[in-house]
Amino acid sequence: MRMTLLRFSRAATAGLVAAAALTAAAHSAEAADSLGSAAAGQGRYFGTAVAASHLDEADYVSTLNREFSSATPENEMKWDATEPSRGTFTFAAADQVVDHARSRGMDVRGHTLVWHSQLPSWVSGLGAADLRTAMNNHINGVMGHYKGRIHSWDVVNEAFQVGGSGARRNSPFQDKLGNGFIEEAFRTARAADPAAKLCYNDYNTDGVNAKSTAVYNMVKDFKSRGVPIDCVGFQGHFNSASPVPSDLQANLQRFADLGVDVQITELDIEGSGTAQADSYSRVVEACLAVDRCTGITVWGVTDKYSWRSGGTPLLFDGDYQEKPAYDAVLTTLGGDGGGEPGDGTATCTATYTRTADWNSGYNGQVTITAGSEPIGSWATTVTFASPQQVQATWNATPAWGGGNVMTARPSWNGSLAAGASTTFGFTVAKNGSDAAPTVGACTAS
């Protein structure tokens, strides 16, 4: 059960209301032609890397808000940014990204907890015992700060060498703690936030090769021994020297067959025009063909801020204009949200049940049921009696309107066959009111 903490305060209410109003407007206006909405219609997310330093740029923010349903802090959660001095944590920049994304109803992918790069100098100077303590303290410190607010974490990043050896990469963690450091990091992460998805992330693992097979064998071993791992990220940095592999789908599928979700986590493809568009389409097609491929993240909003800007690798150019690659991705995703009917006849119903009750609070559940036609996505409102406060939600992406009105949309469970149902739920603090919430009409697409 994925849980998203929703912390309310009177001071934040005005900002949440304004952001929620914008969210509702964006979804109603852009449902037919945004990447996030189209991906949701396929039961997936479409995300982007976000830099806090660009959140004061109007075109950047409007494109981010309109198009994407998931956000990954580009550098703001890495070790040098969050713990520059041992035991001293700084979260201001990462908080900007997380708060903005959540105010728009986006999921957040945490990136990254244990990585050989972008380490502050003090980490490399530690002996083995101190390094183990520091690694676990870092995981607990960062995940503890964001507990309940992060959908997925890249727990360990890029721990294997590129090339034909399949060996582990040299790093302070590998060199001093040995092969067991990855397992230890995942076990520590599970204890730090049991609700978050825990992922391993790497590059040049997109096709079947020695490196991806080494990762595959590690994941297979972890699953066989009960080591907590939920997902594997494939970065997807492609260019003419390293094109989209023909066996991308087969590679994703073999990992999915181990019982983990797979995601494309840092996609960018150098090039332009039709060739770039075709490459993007092949990546999206591969993900859509694998049931456990739950989403795609491109590594940036616009070419001008890409780490590979000279290769123009993203979906929007430096002036935020949609490129042919954007059109290709949207078309491949189905454009209008992927619902089978596509003729305005899709319907759904929403019914409420209180599933648990105690003196100070209760759990509620809403069941969404498709009508006589399949649906690609759904939405409904839930109005809570004042002064009740929602403490957590699961299986839905919430946005907040005036008063205590929550608009719920699917986080992963949007596509339903005719007559099929799904549920989402919430935990509510009563604050003196035992009134049941009011569930509005369900709308389907």
Short mmCIF file of all heavy atoms in Angstrom, two decimals, residues 323-391:
data_model
loop_
_atom_site.label_atom_id
_atom_site.label_comp_id
_atom_site.label_asym_id
_atom_site.label_seq_id
_atom_site.Cartn_x
_atom_site.Cartn_y
_atom_site.Cartn_z
N LYS A 323 8.85 19.44 -29.69
CA LYS A 323 9.63 18.91 -30.79
C LYS A 323 8.91 17.71 -31.41
O LYS A 323 7.95 17.19 -30.83
CB LYS A 323 11.02 18.51 -30.28
CG LYS A 323 11.83 19.69 -29.75
CD LYS A 323 12.99 19.28 -28.88
CE LYS A 323 13.99 18.42 -29.61
NZ LYS A 323 15.17 18.12 -28.75
N PRO A 324 9.34 17.27 -32.60
CA PRO A 324 8.73 16.05 -33.16
C PRO A 324 8.76 14.87 -32.19
O PRO A 324 7.83 14.05 -32.19
CB PRO A 324 9.58 15.80 -34.41
CG PRO A 324 10.04 17.16 -34.82
CD PRO A 324 10.30 17.90 -33.53
N ALA A 325 9.79 14.82 -31.36
CA ALA A 325 9.87 13.73 -30.38
C ALA A 325 8.71 13.80 -29.39
O ALA A 325 8.19 12.77 -28.95
CB ALA A 325 11.21 13.79 -29.64
N TYR A 326 8.31 15.01 -29.03
CA TYR A 326 7.16 15.17 -28.13
C TYR A 326 5.90 14.59 -28.78
O TYR A 326 5.16 13.82 -28.16
CB TYR A 326 6.95 16.64 -27.80
CG TYR A 326 5.66 16.91 -27.05
CD1 TYR A 326 5.64 16.94 -25.66
CD2 TYR A 326 4.46 17.13 -27.73
CE1 TYR A 326 4.45 17.16 -24.96
CE2 TYR A 326 3.28 17.36 -27.06
CZ TYR A 326 3.27 17.37 -25.67
OH TYR A 326 2.10 17.58 -25.00
N ASP A 327 5.66 14.98 -30.02
CA ASP A 327 4.47 14.49 -30.73
C ASP A 327 4.49 12.97 -30.84
O ASP A 327 3.46 12.31 -30.69
CB ASP A 327 4.39 15.10 -32.13
CG ASP A 327 4.21 16.61 -32.09
OD1 ASP A 327 3.59 17.11 -31.12
OD2 ASP A 327 4.68 17.30 -33.02
N ALA A 328 5.68 12.42 -31.07
CA ALA A 328 5.79 10.96 -31.20
C ALA A 328 5.48 10.26 -29.89
O ALA A 328 4.79 9.23 -29.86
CB ALA A 328 7.19 10.60 -31.68
N VAL A 329 5.97 10.81 -28.79
CA VAL A 329 5.71 10.21 -27.48
C VAL A 329 4.23 10.28 -27.16
O VAL A 329 3.61 9.31 -26.73
CB VAL A 329 6.55 10.90 -26.39
CG1 VAL A 329 6.07 10.49 -24.99
CG2 VAL A 329 8.02 10.57 -26.55
N LEU A 330 3.62 11.45 -27.38
CA LEU A 330 2.21 11.62 -27.07
C LEU A 330 1.34 10.67 -27.90
O LEU A 330 0.41 10.03 -27.38
CB LEU A 330 1.79 13.06 -27.32
CG LEU A 330 0.40 13.47 -26.81
CD1 LEU A 330 0.31 13.34 -25.30
CD2 LEU A 330 0.06 14.88 -27.25
N THR A 331 1.67 10.54 -29.18
CA THR A 331 0.92 9.64 -30.05
C THR A 331 1.06 8.19 -29.58
O THR A 331 0.09 7.44 -29.53
CB THR A 331 1.40 9.77 -31.50
OG1 THR A 331 1.16 11.11 -31.95
CG2 THR A 331 0.68 8.79 -32.41
N THR A 332 2.28 7.80 -29.21
CA THR A 332 2.52 6.43 -28.78
C THR A 332 1.79 6.12 -27.49
O THR A 332 1.30 5.00 -27.28
CB THR A 332 4.03 6.18 -28.59
OG1 THR A 332 4.72 6.53 -29.81
CG2 THR A 332 4.33 4.73 -28.28
N LEU A 333 1.65 7.12 -26.62
CA LEU A 333 0.92 6.95 -25.36
C LEU A 333 -0.59 6.91 -25.56
O LEU A 333 -1.33 6.59 -24.64
CB LEU A 333 1.28 8.07 -24.38
CG LEU A 333 2.67 8.02 -23.76
CD1 LEU A 333 2.95 9.31 -22.99
CD2 LEU A 333 2.82 6.80 -22.84
N GLY A 334 -1.07 7.27 -26.71
CA GLY A 334 -2.50 7.24 -26.97
C GLY A 334 -3.13 8.62 -26.99
O GLY A 334 -4.29 8.76 -27.37
N GLY A 335 -2.39 9.64 -26.56
CA GLY A 335 -2.85 11.01 -26.73
C GLY A 335 -4.00 11.42 -25.85
O GLY A 335 -3.85 12.30 -25.02
N ASP A 336 -5.12 10.77 -25.98
CA ASP A 336 -6.30 11.20 -25.24
C ASP A 336 -6.47 10.46 -23.93
O ASP A 336 -7.52 10.55 -23.29
CB ASP A 336 -7.57 11.03 -26.09
CG ASP A 336 -7.85 9.58 -26.41
OD1 ASP A 336 -7.02 8.72 -26.09
OD2 ASP A 336 -8.92 9.30 -27.00
N GLY A 337 -5.41 9.77 -23.48
CA GLY A 337 -5.50 9.05 -22.21
C GLY A 337 -5.66 7.56 -22.39
O GLY A 337 -5.64 6.82 -21.42
N GLY A 338 -5.79 7.10 -23.64
CA GLY A 338 -5.75 5.67 -23.91
C GLY A 338 -7.02 4.91 -23.60
O GLY A 338 -7.05 3.70 -23.67
N GLY A 339 -8.10 5.57 -23.20
CA GLY A 339 -9.34 4.85 -22.93
C GLY A 339 -9.88 4.21 -24.20
O GLY A 339 -9.85 4.81 -25.26
N GLU A 340 -10.39 3.01 -24.09
CA GLU A 340 -10.87 2.30 -25.27
C GLU A 340 -12.01 3.01 -25.98
O GLU A 340 -12.04 3.09 -27.18
CB GLU A 340 -11.31 0.88 -24.86
CG GLU A 340 -10.16 -0.02 -24.50
CD GLU A 340 -9.34 -0.41 -25.70
OE1 GLU A 340 -9.88 -0.35 -26.82
OE2 GLU A 340 -8.18 -0.77 -25.53
N PRO A 341 -13.01 3.55 -25.24
CA PRO A 341 -14.14 4.10 -25.97
C PRO A 341 -13.78 5.32 -26.79
O PRO A 341 -14.07 5.37 -27.97
CB PRO A 341 -15.15 4.44 -24.87
CG PRO A 341 -14.72 3.66 -23.68
CD PRO A 341 -13.24 3.56 -23.80
N GLY A 342 -13.21 6.35 -26.14
CA GLY A 342 -12.80 7.55 -26.84
C GLY A 342 -13.95 8.33 -27.44
O GLY A 342 -13.73 9.22 -28.25
N ASP A 343 -15.19 8.03 -27.05
CA ASP A 343 -16.33 8.69 -27.68
C ASP A 343 -17.23 9.39 -26.66
O ASP A 343 -18.37 9.75 -26.97
CB ASP A 343 -17.15 7.67 -28.48
CG ASP A 343 -17.63 6.53 -27.60
OD1 ASP A 343 -17.38 6.57 -26.38
OD2 ASP A 343 -18.28 5.61 -28.15
N GLY A 344 -16.75 9.56 -25.42
CA GLY A 344 -17.50 10.26 -24.40
C GLY A 344 -18.54 9.40 -23.71
O GLY A 344 -19.30 9.90 -22.89
N THR A 345 -18.60 8.08 -24.01
CA THR A 345 -19.60 7.22 -23.39
C THR A 345 -19.08 6.53 -22.14
O THR A 345 -19.85 5.86 -21.45
CB THR A 345 -20.08 6.15 -24.39
OG1 THR A 345 -18.96 5.32 -24.74
CG2 THR A 345 -20.65 6.80 -25.63
N ALA A 346 -17.78 6.64 -21.84
CA ALA A 346 -17.22 5.96 -20.67
C ALA A 346 -17.80 6.57 -19.40
O ALA A 346 -17.92 7.78 -19.27
CB ALA A 346 -15.70 6.08 -20.67
N THR A 347 -18.17 5.71 -18.45
CA THR A 347 -18.74 6.17 -17.20
C THR A 347 -18.12 5.40 -16.04
O THR A 347 -17.51 4.34 -16.23
CB THR A 347 -20.27 5.96 -17.16
OG1 THR A 347 -20.55 4.56 -17.30
CG2 THR A 347 -20.96 6.74 -18.27
N CYS A 348 -18.30 5.93 -14.84
CA CYS A 348 -17.85 5.24 -13.64
C CYS A 348 -18.69 5.71 -12.46
O CYS A 348 -19.35 6.74 -12.52
CB CYS A 348 -16.36 5.48 -13.37
SG CYS A 348 -15.89 7.22 -13.16
N THR A 349 -18.66 4.93 -11.38
CA THR A 349 -19.34 5.30 -10.15
C THR A 349 -18.33 5.29 -9.00
O THR A 349 -17.32 4.58 -9.05
CB THR A 349 -20.48 4.33 -9.83
OG1 THR A 349 -19.96 3.00 -9.72
CG2 THR A 349 -21.55 4.38 -10.91
N ALA A 350 -18.62 6.07 -7.97
CA ALA A 350 -17.77 6.14 -6.78
C ALA A 350 -18.65 5.92 -5.55
O ALA A 350 -19.65 6.63 -5.36
CB ALA A 350 -17.07 7.49 -6.70
N THR A 351 -18.27 4.94 -4.72
CA THR A 351 -19.02 4.65 -3.50
C THR A 351 -18.08 4.65 -2.31
O THR A 351 -16.93 4.20 -2.42
CB THR A 351 -19.74 3.30 -3.60
OG1 THR A 351 -18.78 2.27 -3.88
CG2 THR A 351 -20.79 3.33 -4.68
N TYR A 352 -18.59 5.10 -1.16
CA TYR A 352 -17.74 5.28 0.03
C TYR A 352 -18.09 4.25 1.11
O TYR A 352 -19.26 3.92 1.32
CB TYR A 352 -17.94 6.69 0.61
CG TYR A 352 -17.34 6.86 1.98
CD1 TYR A 352 -15.96 6.92 2.16
CD2 TYR A 352 -18.16 6.93 3.11
CE1 TYR A 352 -15.41 7.06 3.42
CE2 TYR A 352 -17.61 7.07 4.37
CZ TYR A 352 -16.24 7.13 4.52
OH TYR A 352 -15.69 7.27 5.78
N THR A 353 -17.04 3.77 1.79
CA THR A 353 -17.19 2.87 2.94
C THR A 353 -16.20 3.29 4.02
O THR A 353 -15.03 3.59 3.71
CB THR A 353 -16.91 1.41 2.56
OG1 THR A 353 -17.73 1.03 1.45
CG2 THR A 353 -17.17 0.48 3.73
N ARG A 354 -16.63 3.35 5.29
CA ARG A 354 -15.69 3.54 6.40
C ARG A 354 -15.15 2.17 6.78
O ARG A 354 -15.92 1.28 7.16
CB ARG A 354 -16.37 4.21 7.59
CG ARG A 354 -15.40 4.52 8.72
CD ARG A 354 -16.03 5.33 9.85
NE ARG A 354 -16.39 6.68 9.41
CZ ARG A 354 -16.61 7.70 10.25
NH1 ARG A 354 -16.48 7.52 11.57
NH2 ARG A 354 -16.95 8.88 9.78
N THR A 355 -13.85 1.99 6.71
CA THR A 355 -13.25 0.68 6.92
C THR A 355 -12.65 0.49 8.30
O THR A 355 -12.35 -0.64 8.70
CB THR A 355 -12.16 0.42 5.87
OG1 THR A 355 -11.19 1.48 5.93
CG2 THR A 355 -12.76 0.37 4.47
N ALA A 356 -12.43 1.57 9.04
CA ALA A 356 -11.91 1.46 10.40
C ALA A 356 -12.31 2.73 11.15
O ALA A 356 -12.47 3.80 10.54
CB ALA A 356 -10.40 1.28 10.42
N ASP A 357 -12.47 2.59 12.48
CA ASP A 357 -12.93 3.74 13.27
C ASP A 357 -12.31 3.67 14.65
O ASP A 357 -12.22 2.59 15.24
CB ASP A 357 -14.45 3.71 13.36
CG ASP A 357 -15.02 5.02 13.90
OD1 ASP A 357 -15.08 5.18 15.12
OD2 ASP A 357 -15.37 5.88 13.07
N TRP A 358 -11.87 4.79 15.15
CA TRP A 358 -11.37 4.89 16.52
C TRP A 358 -11.71 6.28 17.05
O TRP A 358 -12.26 7.11 16.31
CB TRP A 358 -9.88 4.59 16.60
CG TRP A 358 -9.00 5.45 15.76
CD1 TRP A 358 -8.30 6.55 16.14
CD2 TRP A 358 -8.69 5.27 14.36
NE1 TRP A 358 -7.58 7.08 15.10
CE2 TRP A 358 -7.80 6.31 13.99
CE3 TRP A 358 -9.09 4.34 13.40
CZ2 TRP A 358 -7.31 6.44 12.70
CZ3 TRP A 358 -8.58 4.47 12.11
CH2 TRP A 358 -7.71 5.51 11.77
N ASN A 359 -11.43 6.51 18.32
CA ASN A 359 -11.89 7.74 18.96
C ASN A 359 -11.47 9.00 18.21
O ASN A 359 -12.25 9.94 18.04
CB ASN A 359 -11.40 7.81 20.41
CG ASN A 359 -12.13 6.84 21.31
OD1 ASN A 359 -13.23 6.39 20.97
ND2 ASN A 359 -11.53 6.49 22.43
N SER A 360 -10.24 9.03 17.78
CA SER A 360 -9.70 10.26 17.20
C SER A 360 -9.68 10.30 15.68
O SER A 360 -9.33 11.32 15.09
CB SER A 360 -8.27 10.49 17.71
OG SER A 360 -7.42 9.42 17.32
N GLY A 361 -10.05 9.19 15.04
CA GLY A 361 -9.95 9.18 13.58
C GLY A 361 -10.65 8.01 12.93
O GLY A 361 -11.28 7.18 13.60
N TYR A 362 -10.52 7.93 11.64
CA TYR A 362 -11.10 6.80 10.90
C TYR A 362 -10.37 6.62 9.58
O TYR A 362 -9.68 7.52 9.09
CB TYR A 362 -12.60 7.01 10.64
CG TYR A 362 -12.94 8.19 9.74
CD1 TYR A 362 -13.01 8.05 8.36
CD2 TYR A 362 -13.22 9.44 10.29
CE1 TYR A 362 -13.34 9.12 7.54
CE2 TYR A 362 -13.56 10.52 9.48
CZ TYR A 362 -13.61 10.35 8.11
OH TYR A 362 -13.92 11.42 7.29
N ASN A 363 -10.52 5.43 9.00
CA ASN A 363 -10.07 5.14 7.65
C ASN A 363 -11.28 5.04 6.74
O ASN A 363 -12.29 4.41 7.10
CB ASN A 363 -9.30 3.82 7.57
CG ASN A 363 -7.90 3.92 8.13
OD1 ASN A 363 -7.38 5.01 8.34
ND2 ASN A 363 -7.29 2.77 8.41
N GLY A 364 -11.21 5.66 5.58
CA GLY A 364 -12.27 5.57 4.60
C GLY A 364 -11.77 4.98 3.30
O GLY A 364 -10.57 5.08 2.99
N GLN A 365 -12.65 4.39 2.54
CA GLN A 365 -12.29 3.80 1.25
C GLN A 365 -13.35 4.16 0.22
O GLN A 365 -14.54 4.09 0.49
CB GLN A 365 -12.19 2.29 1.37
CG GLN A 365 -11.88 1.57 0.05
CD GLN A 365 -11.70 0.08 0.26
OE1 GLN A 365 -10.65 -0.35 0.74
NE2 GLN A 365 -12.71 -0.69 -0.09
N VAL A 366 -12.89 4.56 -0.97
CA VAL A 366 -13.79 4.84 -2.08
C VAL A 366 -13.54 3.79 -3.17
O VAL A 366 -12.38 3.55 -3.56
CB VAL A 366 -13.57 6.25 -2.64
CG1 VAL A 366 -14.43 6.48 -3.88
CG2 VAL A 366 -13.90 7.30 -1.58
N THR A 367 -14.60 3.16 -3.62
CA THR A 367 -14.51 2.17 -4.69
C THR A 367 -14.95 2.81 -6.01
O THR A 367 -16.05 3.37 -6.10
CB THR A 367 -15.41 0.96 -4.39
OG1 THR A 367 -14.98 0.36 -3.17
CG2 THR A 367 -15.31 -0.07 -5.52
N ILE A 368 -14.06 2.77 -6.99
CA ILE A 368 -14.35 3.27 -8.33
C ILE A 368 -14.68 2.08 -9.22
O ILE A 368 -13.90 1.14 -9.32
CB ILE A 368 -13.14 4.04 -8.91
CG1 ILE A 368 -12.72 5.19 -7.99
CG2 ILE A 368 -13.45 4.53 -10.32
CD1 ILE A 368 -13.74 6.29 -7.86
N THR A 369 -15.84 2.11 -9.86
CA THR A 369 -16.27 1.01 -10.73
C THR A 369 -16.58 1.54 -12.12
O THR A 369 -17.34 2.50 -12.27
CB THR A 369 -17.52 0.32 -10.15
OG1 THR A 369 -17.24 -0.12 -8.82
CG2 THR A 369 -17.93 -0.86 -11.01
N ALA A 370 -15.96 0.94 -13.13
CA ALA A 370 -16.22 1.32 -14.51
C ALA A 370 -17.61 0.89 -14.93
O ALA A 370 -18.16 -0.11 -14.43
CB ALA A 370 -15.18 0.71 -15.44
N GLY A 371 -18.20 1.64 -15.85
CA GLY A 371 -19.52 1.31 -16.38
C GLY A 371 -19.44 0.21 -17.41
O GLY A 371 -18.60 -0.69 -17.34
N SER A 372 -20.25 0.30 -18.43
CA SER A 372 -20.35 -0.76 -19.43
C SER A 372 -19.25 -0.70 -20.48
O SER A 372 -19.18 -1.56 -21.35
CB SER A 372 -21.72 -0.69 -20.14
OG SER A 372 -21.89 0.57 -20.77
N GLU A 373 -18.38 0.34 -20.39
CA GLU A 373 -17.25 0.47 -21.30
C GLU A 373 -15.96 0.55 -20.49
O GLU A 373 -15.96 1.03 -19.35
CB GLU A 373 -17.38 1.74 -22.14
CG GLU A 373 -18.62 1.80 -23.02
CD GLU A 373 -18.47 0.91 -24.25
OE1 GLU A 373 -17.33 0.49 -24.54
OE2 GLU A 373 -19.48 0.63 -24.90
N PRO A 374 -14.83 0.09 -21.05
CA PRO A 374 -13.55 0.27 -20.36
C PRO A 374 -13.24 1.76 -20.20
O PRO A 374 -13.70 2.59 -20.98
CB PRO A 374 -12.54 -0.39 -21.31
CG PRO A 374 -13.34 -1.24 -22.23
CD PRO A 374 -14.68 -0.58 -22.36
N ILE A 375 -12.46 2.10 -19.20
CA ILE A 375 -12.03 3.48 -19.00
C ILE A 375 -10.52 3.54 -18.90
O ILE A 375 -9.87 2.58 -18.49
CB ILE A 375 -12.68 4.12 -17.75
CG1 ILE A 375 -12.24 3.42 -16.46
CG2 ILE A 375 -14.20 4.11 -17.87
CD1 ILE A 375 -12.75 4.11 -15.19
N GLY A 376 -9.96 4.68 -19.30
CA GLY A 376 -8.52 4.87 -19.23
C GLY A 376 -8.09 5.64 -18.01
O GLY A 376 -6.95 5.55 -17.57
N SER A 377 -9.01 6.43 -17.42
CA SER A 377 -8.70 7.18 -16.22
C SER A 377 -10.00 7.58 -15.55
O SER A 377 -11.09 7.46 -16.13
CB SER A 377 -7.86 8.42 -16.56
OG SER A 377 -7.35 9.03 -15.38
N TRP A 378 -9.92 8.06 -14.31
CA TRP A 378 -11.10 8.46 -13.56
C TRP A 378 -10.74 9.61 -12.62
O TRP A 378 -9.56 9.86 -12.36
CB TRP A 378 -11.68 7.29 -12.76
CG TRP A 378 -10.66 6.55 -11.92
CD1 TRP A 378 -10.02 5.40 -12.23
CD2 TRP A 378 -10.18 6.93 -10.61
NE1 TRP A 378 -9.15 5.02 -11.23
CE2 TRP A 378 -9.25 5.95 -10.21
CE3 TRP A 378 -10.44 8.00 -9.75
CZ2 TRP A 378 -8.57 6.01 -9.00
CZ3 TRP A 378 -9.77 8.06 -8.53
CH2 TRP A 378 -8.86 7.08 -8.17
N ALA A 379 -11.75 10.27 -12.11
CA ALA A 379 -11.55 11.32 -11.12
C ALA A 379 -12.83 11.46 -10.31
O ALA A 379 -13.94 11.26 -10.83
CB ALA A 379 -11.19 12.65 -11.77
N THR A 380 -12.69 11.79 -9.05
CA THR A 380 -13.84 12.08 -8.20
C THR A 380 -13.42 13.03 -7.10
O THR A 380 -12.22 13.21 -6.86
CB THR A 380 -14.44 10.79 -7.60
OG1 THR A 380 -15.70 11.09 -7.01
CG2 THR A 380 -13.52 10.18 -6.55
N THR A 381 -14.40 13.66 -6.45
CA THR A 381 -14.11 14.56 -5.33
C THR A 381 -14.58 13.93 -4.04
O THR A 381 -15.55 13.16 -4.01
CB THR A 381 -14.79 15.92 -5.51
OG1 THR A 381 -16.21 15.72 -5.59
CG2 THR A 381 -14.28 16.62 -6.75
N VAL A 382 -13.85 14.25 -2.96
CA VAL A 382 -14.24 13.85 -1.62
C VAL A 382 -14.19 15.10 -0.75
O VAL A 382 -13.14 15.75 -0.65
CB VAL A 382 -13.31 12.76 -1.05
CG1 VAL A 382 -13.82 12.29 0.33
CG2 VAL A 382 -13.19 11.58 -2.00
N THR A 383 -15.32 15.44 -0.13
CA THR A 383 -15.40 16.63 0.71
C THR A 383 -15.49 16.21 2.17
O THR A 383 -16.39 15.45 2.56
CB THR A 383 -16.63 17.48 0.36
OG1 THR A 383 -16.58 17.81 -1.03
CG2 THR A 383 -16.66 18.76 1.18
N PHE A 384 -14.53 16.69 2.97
CA PHE A 384 -14.45 16.31 4.38
C PHE A 384 -15.04 17.42 5.25
O PHE A 384 -14.87 18.61 4.97
CB PHE A 384 -12.99 16.06 4.77
CG PHE A 384 -12.36 14.95 4.00
CD1 PHE A 384 -11.68 15.21 2.81
CD2 PHE A 384 -12.46 13.64 4.42
CE1 PHE A 384 -11.10 14.19 2.07
CE2 PHE A 384 -11.89 12.60 3.69
CZ PHE A 384 -11.21 12.88 2.51
N ALA A 385 -15.72 17.02 6.33
CA ALA A 385 -16.33 17.97 7.24
C ALA A 385 -15.27 18.69 8.04
O ALA A 385 -14.34 18.08 8.56
CB ALA A 385 -17.30 17.26 8.18
N SER A 386 -15.37 20.02 8.13
CA SER A 386 -14.46 20.79 8.97
C SER A 386 -14.81 20.51 10.44
O SER A 386 -16.00 20.37 10.78
CB SER A 386 -14.62 22.28 8.65
OG SER A 386 -13.77 23.05 9.46
N PRO A 387 -13.84 20.38 11.34
CA PRO A 387 -12.40 20.62 11.16
C PRO A 387 -11.59 19.34 10.95
O PRO A 387 -10.45 19.24 11.40
CB PRO A 387 -12.02 21.27 12.49
CG PRO A 387 -12.90 20.57 13.49
CD PRO A 387 -14.20 20.26 12.77
N GLN A 388 -12.17 18.32 10.31
CA GLN A 388 -11.41 17.10 10.05
C GLN A 388 -10.18 17.41 9.20
O GLN A 388 -10.18 18.36 8.41
CB GLN A 388 -12.29 16.08 9.32
CG GLN A 388 -13.43 15.53 10.16
CD GLN A 388 -14.26 14.52 9.41
OE1 GLN A 388 -14.00 14.21 8.23
NE2 GLN A 388 -15.28 13.98 10.07
N GLN A 389 -9.15 16.58 9.37
CA GLN A 389 -7.92 16.74 8.60
C GLN A 389 -7.48 15.39 8.05
O GLN A 389 -7.43 14.40 8.78
CB GLN A 389 -6.80 17.34 9.45
CG GLN A 389 -7.02 18.79 9.84
CD GLN A 389 -5.84 19.35 10.61
OE1 GLN A 389 -5.12 18.62 11.27
NE2 GLN A 389 -5.64 20.65 10.51
N VAL A 390 -7.16 15.35 6.76
CA VAL A 390 -6.65 14.14 6.14
C VAL A 390 -5.17 13.99 6.49
O VAL A 390 -4.37 14.91 6.29
CB VAL A 390 -6.83 14.19 4.61
CG1 VAL A 390 -6.23 12.95 3.96
CG2 VAL A 390 -8.31 14.29 4.27
N GLN A 391 -4.84 12.84 7.02
CA GLN A 391 -3.45 12.58 7.42
C GLN A 391 -2.68 11.76 6.39
O GLN A 391 -1.46 11.87 6.32
CB GLN A 391 -3.43 11.85 8.77
CG GLN A 391 -4.02 12.69 9.91
CD GLN A 391 -3.99 11.96 11.22
OE1 GLN A 391 -4.36 10.80 11.31
NE2 GLN A 391 -3.55 12.65 12.26
#
